[in-house]
Amino acid sequence: MPLGSILGQSGVGDIFFHLFKIPFIIIMIIITLFHLNYKVRMPFISQLFIFFGVLSLIHGVFTNPISKVTATHLYGAVMPILAISFGSYFIEHANIKTIKLLYRMLKYSFYLLSMLIVVYFLLYLNGNIIYFGMATKVPYFTAYFLSVGSNIGFSASVVITLMTGKRAMISAILAQILFIYFHLNEWKYLSILKRRLVLVLLIVVLVLIALATNTLSRFQPFLNLDLFDKHAMYLATSGRSSEIFGILEYFSREEFSWFYGGGFGETYSYISEFSKGSVEVTQHYSHFSPFYYILVYGSIFTTLLYAAILKIFLKSLLMPSNLFSLIAIGMFAVSFLGASMLVDPQLWFFIGALIHICKYPVQYDKFSLAIRR
């Protein structure tokens, strides 16, 4: 994914922009093959997708033309079910050796990713890349350093995140920090003075880097946000606000659909503003994930889904902090700015693992203690 961003934005070829799909495809193939031999587990979230998915499929077949959009929405319903089940099986059968191997892989992957991001950042500063925004899985690494209690590693991962220019990644880090802060069992290992010194040092480093490289220019539209100016909101949210306005306009015409959704294959239109003018865009999803689920499944499903996810995170606050909860909360935060919940099985994999950890917390305590030694 990072290499595809570098090659695509450097003008080598637009085809490299599509490399981000390869990990999704590989993961789904593995998960599907796994469930040919193992029964699919059905926690409450999976049952929601099955029940409302069947209703939305039937509704969509009768009200919308069958198209690629229908298949995409069907994938968005089946994928979470399989990924949650796979995550549950993984954490159940994992042992300390497996978890330690996972941590080592994350550590070395961070070094490799950091080098790629630095190369990307230097190419941007040199003018070889115009668009400053590199999609990565940085929440994996910030979660890793937080889970092992490495302040230096966490600070380095935050600096690397800033170099990607992605605001969604910043939201993931903030969510992880808040999760740790409110965690009942965390931060007791650090004195108040040490925590404050680390925080001050991190802020100083980030500000110096931002000022020296003009990095904050990527965030300038957001700083100029005006809630009463649609164009300013479009720039500040990179077009996400236009998607929301488009879906709200759709529901103003289809009032009852607000409760049960438009079904599989449903689309909406909104005005996308470019430097050369405005154009009407028809779309079948929203980067703001809750509105996607309302569009397709309705507000009843969406309310139950997010209530179930938040309940899992609240339960995890009562247990020792672990990598899976930190990654899940980070990726969940990203889903409010990107369409990751709709296409990426990784978030659902970690939610599945977290569901199992919450159900059998004692089984994971030994992993948490083993990693901290």
Side-chain angles (χ1 to χ4, degrees):
M1 188 182 302
L3 184 59
S5 296
I6 293 175
L7 295 175
Q9 295 185 34
S10 297
V12 176
D14 291 341
I15 191 174
F16 291 103
F17 283 117
H18 299 285
L19 290 180
F20 77 92
K21 299 177 182 178
I22 294 178
F24 301 162
I25 296 173
I26 293 175
I27 293 172
M28 279 308 300
I29 290 175
I30 293 173
I31 291 175
T32 303
L33 291 176
F34 174 85
H35 284 102
L36 293 178
N37 298 311
Y38 291 87
K39 180 182 178 181
V40 178
R41 290 180 172 174
M42 293 289 179
F44 178 69
I45 292 178
S46 299
Q47 294 174 31
L48 280 178
F49 274 107
I50 289 179
F51 179 75
F52 285 92
V54 171
L55 294 180
S56 297
L57 175 61
I58 296 173
H59 180 201
V61 167
F62 284 100
T63 59
N64 302 315
I66 298 177
S67 62
K68 292 181 180 179
V69 175
T70 307
T72 301
H73 288 166
L74 179 61
Y75 166 83
V78 175
M79 177 269 293
I81 297 172
L82 296 180
I84 288 173
S85 176
F86 187 70
S88 176
Y89 276 112
F90 175 85
I91 198 63
E92 177 185 4
H93 295 285
N95 52 35
I96 295 178
K97 184 177 179 180
T98 303
I99 300 300
K100 285 188 173 183
L101 175 62
L102 176 61
Y103 271 65
R104 285 198 298 271
M105 291 175 63
L106 284 172
K107 181 179 180 179
Y108 295 126
S109 296
F110 172 72
Y111 297 146
L112 176 60
L113 178 64
S114 297
M115 289 188 290
L116 289 174
I117 291 176
V118 169
V119 170
Y120 172 84
F121 188 63
L122 292 175
L123 288 173
Y124 166 73
L125 292 180
N126 194 47
N128 300 99
I129 292 176
I130 299 176
Y131 176 73
F132 186 32
M134 183 182 189
T136 63
K137 284 292 185 290
V138 173
Y140 275 58
F141 307 110
T142 51
Y144 162 71
F145 289 118
L146 283 172
S147 65
V148 299
S150 173
N151 293 311
I152 295 177
F154 175 71
S155 300
S157 63
V158 172
V159 172
I160 289 297
T161 300
L162 191 62
M163 290 182 177
T164 66
K166 277 292 185 180
R167 292 167 290 187
M169 298 301 106
I170 301 296
S171 69
I173 294 176
L174 292 176
Q176 290 172 337
I177 292 175
L178 287 174
F179 184 82
I180 285 289
Y181 183 79
F182 288 108
H183 203 285
L184 298 180
N185 299 299
E186 291 298 328
W187 295 109
K188 63 183 180 181
Y189 305 102
L190 298 173
S191 66
I192 296 177
L193 178 61
K194 182 179 179 182
R195 283 158 46 190
R196 288 178 177 174
L197 287 176
V198 170
L199 180 61
V200 170
L201 178 61
L202 176 60
I203 293 175
V204 170
V205 171
L206 292 179
V207 170
L208 289 176
I209 292 176
L211 292 176
T213 60
N214 198 31
T215 303
L216 290 178
S217 61
R218 176 72 173 91
F219 305 92
Q220 193 60 45
F222 182 76
L223 299 176
N224 295 334
L225 175 62
D226 183 352
L227 296 178
F228 300 99
D229 186 337
K230 282 192 175 183
H231 180 68
M233 289 185 64
Y234 179 89
L235 295 176
T237 62
S238 298
R240 272 59 166 178
S241 61
S242 294
E243 295 178 355
I244 294 175
F245 289 137
I247 293 178
L248 289 176
E249 186 178 344
Y250 163 84
F251 284 121
S252 69
R253 300 189 305 268
E254 306 286 343
E255 295 181 5
F256 292 105
S257 292
W258 179 265
F259 298 100
Y260 53 78
F264 289 180
E266 186 59 279
T267 60
Y268 68 98
S269 299
Y270 69 94
I271 302 299
S272 180
E273 301 182 31
F274 297 96
S275 58
K276 296 182 180 180
S278 301
V279 61
E280 186 177 37
V281 176
T282 299
Q283 197 157 279
H284 62 279
Y285 70 96
S286 170
H287 286 85
F288 186 61
S289 296
F291 268 59
Y292 160 77
Y293 287 120
I294 294 175
L295 173 70
V296 178
Y297 302 93
S299 59
I300 297 175
F301 166 84
T302 305
T303 301
L304 292 173
L305 174 65
Y306 279 85
I309 294 175
L310 291 176
K311 182 180 179 181
I312 295 169
F313 289 139
L314 289 175
K315 279 186 176 181
S316 64
L317 285 173
L318 303 176
M319 303 181 304
S321 177
N322 59 77
L323 178 71
F324 297 90
S325 60
L326 288 168
I327 292 179
I329 193 68
M331 297 184 71
F332 181 66
V334 171
S335 72
F336 287 89
L337 298 173
S340 56
M341 289 183 75
L342 326 180
V343 297
D344 190 352
Q346 295 175 71
L347 169 59
W348 297 110
F349 167 84
F350 287 105
I351 287 179
L354 200 55
I355 289 174
H356 190 85
I357 292 172
C358 290
K359 189 175 182 179
Y360 307 102
V362 177
Q363 292 184 8
Y364 197 83
D365 283 351
K366 59 182 179 181
F367 296 156
S368 181
L369 294 173
I371 296 302
R372 286 191 176 275
R373 288 196 186 105

